[in-house]
Amino acid sequence: MEMETISTFAKKLWCVKKQLILFLTPLILLPLLFGLPEKEGKCLYVVLLMAVFWCTEALPLAVTAMLPVCLFPTMGILPSKKVCPQYFLDTNFLFLSGLVMASAIEEWGLHRRIALKVLKIVGVKPAWLILGMMITSAFLSMWLSNTATTAMMLPIANAILESLFGDLDTLKENCKVKDETEARVKLHALKHKQTEPLNTAEEIRTESEYQMKVWKGFLICIPYAASIGGTATLTGTAPNLILIGQLKSYFPECDLINFGSWFAFAFPLMVFFLILGWLWISFLYGGLNTRLCVKKQDERAQAEAKAEAVIDEDYRKLGPINFAEGAIAFFFILFAVLLFTRDPKFVTGWSTFFNKGYVSDATTGVIIVSILFFFPSQKPSLSWWFDSRAPNTPYVPLLSWKKAQECVPWNIILLLGGGFAMAKGCEESGLAAWIGAYLQPIAQVPPAVAVMFITAFLACFTEFASNTATIIIFLPVIAELAMFVKVNPLYFMIPATTGCSFAFMLPVSTPPNSIAFASGHLLVKDMVKTGFVMNILGILSVSLAMNTWGRAMFSLETYPDWARPVNIMPPTSKSHLNF
C-alpha cells in the first residue's frame, strides 16, 4: 500500500514537472545573487535560469528567449534600450530573408523537382540511392530548414523503398520466419519481388533482414544529411547566425565571417563529412557490396527497375518546369550568388561599389526576397492588354505575405534575439571575463586538443538540448576562453558552432531525428549505434578543417588585433597557437 502511494505521488509530480522547474529553479539559484560579485552574479543567475528553462523546455523556447527583456533591466544588468535592439539585428534579417526564400521554394514545389532529379541521376542501387538521398537532403537544408527538408524527403524515400521491397509489415514478418512450413506461407510476399524464387526459411529471413537494414539506412541518412547540410551556409541553421551575431557583439572589428567566407570554409567540410557519413551508413546498413558499381542480374535487379520506374513516374507527373518555378530558381541562384560575392575575402566583392560598411548580407537578402512579393507567377503577356476576351484574373505574385507569415518560424527569430541579448548581458556585466579567469587549467591544453574537446563536448550537450540554446549558452564562455589563452577566437568558436549541429544519437536531439524516428521503423539503439560513430567522424572532420584550409583562410596561427582590448597595445600579434 505504501509503495502504491509513493508511485501515485511520483506520477503526480511528473505531471507537474514543468511547473516545479519554473518554481524551484529561481529559488535554487538565489545564492548566486549573494555569493558572487554583484553584476556578474545577477547575470549568471539569469543565464543559468534561461539555460535550465531551455534545456528542460519548462517554458516555450521563444518565451524563455524574451526573459532578458524583463530581467536584465529590472535587475540592473542592462538598460532596456540596449536589450531590445538585440532582437532584430541585421543577422536576424539575414535569417528572415533565408526563411522567406525557402517558403517561396516550397510554395512552387521546386525542392521536390530538385530531389527527384538528383535521384534519377544517381540510380537505384541501395548505396547510390542512400548517397542521392544524402546529397539532396544536404543541399536542400543549406537553404530550407532541416525540419522541412526531412519532412519532404521521407515520403519520397518511403515510396522508393516500397517499390524496392514491398510492404514493410510483411517484411517485418518475413524477418521472423523460422521453419519451412511458415516459409511456404510467407513465400508469396517475396515471390513477386524476385527473378529467382526463394525456397527456404533461411533464404527468406536473410533477404528480409538485408532489406530491413537497407530500409533503416534510408530513413536514418535523411535527418543526418539535413543536419550536416545546414552547416554549409550562414542561413542554413541558427547556430551559424548566433556565431556571426556574437562576433559582432564581442569583436566589432572582426569582419572575417560573412556568407561568402563561411561558405568557402564550411562547404568543403560539409562535403567531406557527408562522404564519410555515407560510407559509414552504407557499410552499416548493407548498401555497400559488390553490386555498388557492377550491374549484375540477380534477385534484386527487378525490384530496382521498379524503383527506378517510380522515380521516373513521380518526376514525369511534375510536368515541364513552369514560369513560376523558373523564376524562383533564377532568384534563388541570384540570392546565393550575390550573398557569396558581396565580400568573399579571397577576391574583391561587389560591396566595394558602395560606402564601406554600409551594405551587409542582410541588405542583399532583403532586396532579393522583396522582389518575390511583386514578381508575377504567370508569364506576362503584352497581348493581354488588348484582348477583350482574355480572362481578367487577379495578379498573383510569386509569394504572398500570408504564405510567408505561415511558413516563417517566428519563434526561431525570437530565439536568436534572446541569444544576442544574453551575449550582450554577459559582455556588459563582465560575466564572460569573470568566467574566463577561472579557466586557467585549460591554458595548459594544446589548442588543437582543445578544439576536439570543445567540439565533442558541445556535440554531446546538444544531444539533450536545442542546438540554438546550446550555442547561446556556451559561445560567450568559449570567446573569453580564447582571449584568456591568447588563441585566435575563431579557432575555438567555429568548431563550437559546427559541433552544435552534430546531434545524431537520440530521437529527441533534433526535430529531423524526431521526424525520422516517428515513422516507427527505427529503434533508439539504431540511432545511438549510428550516431555515435557519426559524432566521432564529425569531430575529426572539423578538427581537420580547422587545421588545414581554415587555418589559411582565417589566419588562425596569429592572435588578431581585433580580439585585443582597445586600451592595450601589445608588441606582437603571434599567439600561443602552434601548428
Side-chain angles (χ1 to χ4, degrees):
M1 187 68 180
E2 191 174 323
M3 287 299 295
E4 187 178 342
T5 305
I6 293 172
S7 175
T8 303
F9 182 69
K11 289 177 181 177
K12 298 289 185 187
L13 284 179
W14 184 254
C15 290
V16 295
K17 61 182 184 297
K18 290 189 176 182
Q19 288 78 8
L20 287 174
I21 291 168
L22 288 172
F23 177 73
L24 293 176
T25 306
L27 297 178
I28 293 170
L29 295 176
L30 273 178
L32 294 173
L33 299 177
F34 307 104
L36 297 176
E38 184 182 4
K39 222 169 186 184
E40 290 89 336
K42 289 179 178 179
C43 189
L44 184 60
Y45 178 85
V46 176
V47 169
L48 291 180
L49 190 69
M50 292 175 69
V52 171
F53 289 173
W54 266 329
C55 293
T56 60
E57 295 191 36
L59 282 175
L61 296 180
V63 176
T64 302
M66 291 190 288
L67 289 181
V69 176
C70 53
L71 294 181
F72 279 179
T74 54
M75 296 180 74
I77 299 168
L78 210 59
S80 179
K81 64 181 180 182
K82 284 191 176 182
V83 178
C84 293
Q86 303 301 315
Y87 285 81
F88 244 106
L89 300 174
D90 64 339
T91 306
N92 298 68
F93 272 102
L94 173 61
F95 187 51
L96 177 61
S97 63
L99 294 172
V100 172
M101 176 60 72
S103 65
I105 290 171
E106 292 178 42
E107 170 75 0
W108 294 102
L110 183 62
H111 57 321
R112 185 172 177 83
R113 186 179 292 276
I114 293 169
L116 291 172
K117 187 65 177 177
V118 171
L119 295 177
K120 275 172 64 72
I121 292 170
V122 298
V124 292
K125 298 272 191 295
W128 291 130
L129 265 179
I130 288 174
L131 178 62
M133 289 286 178
M134 293 183 75
I135 289 173
T136 309
S137 300
F139 174 75
L140 291 175
S141 67
M142 288 164 58
W143 316 100
L144 311 180
S145 76
N146 298 352
T147 306
T149 298
T150 304
M152 190 272 293
M153 290 297 295
L154 279 175
I156 296 174
N158 280 321
I160 294 169
L161 288 165
E162 285 177 9
S163 66
L164 272 171
F165 305 137
D167 179 64
L168 182 65
D169 293 330
T170 305
L171 196 59
K172 286 180 178 178
E173 289 178 18
N174 289 335
C175 291
K176 301 172 184 176
V177 171
K178 293 179 181 177
D179 56 52
E180 296 299 326
T181 305
E182 193 176 1
R184 284 192 289 272
V185 174
K186 303 291 185 184
L187 191 58
H188 73 279
L190 281 180
K191 270 190 175 178
H192 72 282
K193 294 290 174 191
Q194 311 297 335
T195 54
E196 298 174 11
L198 300 176
N199 296 313
T200 67
E202 181 63 30
E203 287 177 349
I204 290 179
R205 187 169 64 251
T206 302
E207 179 64 16
S208 298
E209 286 172 355
Y210 166 80
Q211 292 176 358
M212 274 299 299
K213 284 176 67 178
V214 173
W215 197 302
K216 288 182 177 181
F218 269 60
L219 296 181
I220 212 166
C221 77
I222 292 171
Y224 287 3
S227 295
I228 295 168
T231 63
T233 61
L234 275 184
T235 55
T237 187
N240 297 354
L241 291 161
I242 294 288
L243 168 68
I244 195 170
Q246 293 202 10
L247 274 176
K248 288 177 180 178
S249 176
Y250 272 85
F251 311 110
E253 299 300 315
C254 176
D255 63 348
L256 291 175
I257 303 291
N258 58 42
F259 191 95
S261 61
W262 179 267
F263 185 83
F265 165 77
F267 182 74
L269 169 60
M270 184 270 284
V271 171
F272 180 72
F273 186 20
L274 200 69
I275 292 170
L276 291 181
W278 168 63
L279 290 172
W280 166 239
I281 292 171
S282 296
F283 170 76
L284 190 63
Y285 291 100
L288 281 182
N289 52 44
T290 55
R291 306 178 69 258
L292 182 63
C293 300
V294 179
K295 289 187 177 180
K296 182 181 174 185
Q297 293 298 321
D298 64 6
E299 70 276 4
R300 297 181 190 126
Q302 185 179 346
E304 289 173 0
K306 196 169 183 180
E308 194 166 5
V310 168
I311 296 171
D312 289 339
E313 177 63 17
D314 283 351
Y315 191 79
R316 189 189 63 78
K317 286 178 182 176
L318 294 177
I321 189 166
N322 58 37
F323 179 80
E325 283 181 280
I328 289 293
F330 170 77
F331 287 118
F332 170 60
I333 293 168
L334 185 63
F335 177 81
V337 169
L338 288 179
L339 284 174
F340 183 76
T341 57
R342 182 186 68 82
D343 186 19
K345 301 302 176 186
F346 52 88
V347 293
T348 304
W350 57 262
S351 62
T352 53
F353 295 112
F354 301 90
N355 291 340
K356 186 176 181 181
Y358 274 56
V359 178
S360 69
D361 285 336
T363 311
T364 312
V366 171
I367 288 172
I368 297 300
V369 298
S370 297
I371 297 172
L372 302 178
F373 290 100
F374 65 81
F375 197 86
S377 59
Q378 300 291 330
K379 189 175 181 180
S381 173
L382 190 62
S383 61
W384 176 82
W385 292 94
F386 307 103
D387 187 355
S388 59
R389 291 175 298 176
N392 296 321
T393 52
Y395 167 80
V396 180
L398 286 172
L399 188 63
S400 66
W401 180 248
K402 184 180 179 182
K403 178 65 179 178
Q405 221 171 357
E406 291 171 357
C407 293
V408 171
W410 300 99
N411 60 319
I412 303 297
I413 293 175
L414 282 174
L415 195 56
L416 284 175
F420 298 146
M422 181 191 280
K424 192 71 174 175
C426 290
E427 180 191 2
E428 295 276 340
S429 69
L431 174 63
W434 181 81
I435 292 174
Y438 283 88
L439 299 174
Q440 293 184 17
I442 301 180
Q444 310 303 318
V445 177
V449 176
V451 164
M452 297 182 73
F453 173 77
I454 289 168
T455 311
F457 174 75
L458 292 187
C460 291
F461 192 90
T462 197
E463 298 286 353
F464 306 97
S466 152
N467 58 358
T468 308
T470 300
I471 200 64
I472 288 170
I473 293 165
F474 288 105
L475 207 54
V477 177
I478 290 167
E480 286 295 335
L481 170 63
M483 289 190 285
F484 181 79
V485 299
K486 292 294 184 290
V487 167
N488 189 318
L490 294 178
Y491 190 63
F492 286 173
M493 295 174 80
I494 291 175
T497 304
T498 311
C500 274
S501 295
F502 295 165
F504 303 119
M505 288 177 62
L506 296 174
V508 296
S509 301
T510 64
N513 287 10
S514 301
I515 291 171
F517 186 78
S519 66
H521 311 325
L522 292 172
L523 303 175
V524 173
K525 67 178 182 180
D526 295 324
M527 299 197 82
V528 172
K529 179 173 63 175
T530 314
F532 179 74
V533 176
M534 288 291 290
N535 277 353
I536 293 173
L537 293 175
I539 293 163
L540 295 176
S541 299
V542 171
S543 182
L544 174 67
M546 292 305 298
N547 291 294
T548 50
W549 66 87
R551 174 193 177 190
M553 285 183 63
F554 303 121
S555 302
L556 297 178
E557 71 277 7
T558 62
Y559 188 69
D561 290 335
W562 51 258
R564 302 180 190 282
V566 292
N567 59 335
I568 296 176
M569 295 299 292
T572 176
S573 65
K574 282 289 179 183
S575 78
H576 295 172
L577 183 51
N578 298 314
F579 290 90

